[in-house]
């Protein structure tokens, strides 16, 4: 079974920011974000790529070190877009009126 990459725990990220810079809300505002910006970035993958990079820079780390499941080792973000191409087509006799919906 493949080993799941483990980065920093959410609470570790929060505590490190609080120890160094103060409340998450004040740091978010200083970075030009909404008051809950850092909280959203930490807890929601893909919320803001630029925000994730700001948090990583703030902590003196690379984004991959903090979130290995969100970034490749070279620093590019992992795509969160789902490929929605159908794997098979619906037979024409099962379509309403014989045409695609």
């Amino acid at each position: 079974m493949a080993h799941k990459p483990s980065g920093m725990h959410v609470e570790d990220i929060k505590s490190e920011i609080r120890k160094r810079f103060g409340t998450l809300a004040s740091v978010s505002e200083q970075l030009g974000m909404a008051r809950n910006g850092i909280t959203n970035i930490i807890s929601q993958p893909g919320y803001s790529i630029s925000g994730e990079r700001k948090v990583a820079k703030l902590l003196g780390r690379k984004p991959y070190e903090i979130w290995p499941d969100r970034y490749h080792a070279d620093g590019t973000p992992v795509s969160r877009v789902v490929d929605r191409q159908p794997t098979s087509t619906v037979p024409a006799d099962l379509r309403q009126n014989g045409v695609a919906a």
Side-chain angles (χ1 to χ4, degrees):
M1 190 169 192
H3 178 68
K4 183 178 178 183
S6 62
M8 290 180 70
H9 190 275
V10 172
E11 293 302 322
D12 293 333
I13 298 168
K14 289 179 182 180
S15 67
E16 193 169 333
I17 292 172
R18 286 185 189 120
K19 287 179 198 174
R20 291 187 187 182
F21 307 105
T23 66
L24 297 176
S26 67
V27 174
S28 293
E29 289 177 342
Q30 290 172 9
L31 292 175
M33 300 182 217
R35 289 182 60 82
N36 60 347
I38 289 185
T39 303
N40 290 338
I41 289 166
I42 293 170
S43 61
Q44 298 176 20
Y47 180 78
S48 170
I49 301 296
S50 63
E52 289 174 356
R53 290 184 176 154
K54 287 179 185 179
V55 169
K57 186 175 180 180
L58 194 67
L59 297 177
R61 299 174 189 226
K62 295 181 180 181
Y64 176 76
E65 295 171 0
I66 300 172
W67 300 287
D69 57 329
R70 299 183 191 184
Y71 287 87
H72 297 290
D74 65 356
T76 57
V78 173
S79 176
R80 299 268 176 216
V81 179
V82 177
D83 183 18
R84 300 245 184 234
Q85 294 296 323
T87 56
S88 63
T89 58
V90 178
D93 59 334
L94 295 178
R95 296 181 188 155
Q96 184 177 8
N97 299 329
V99 296

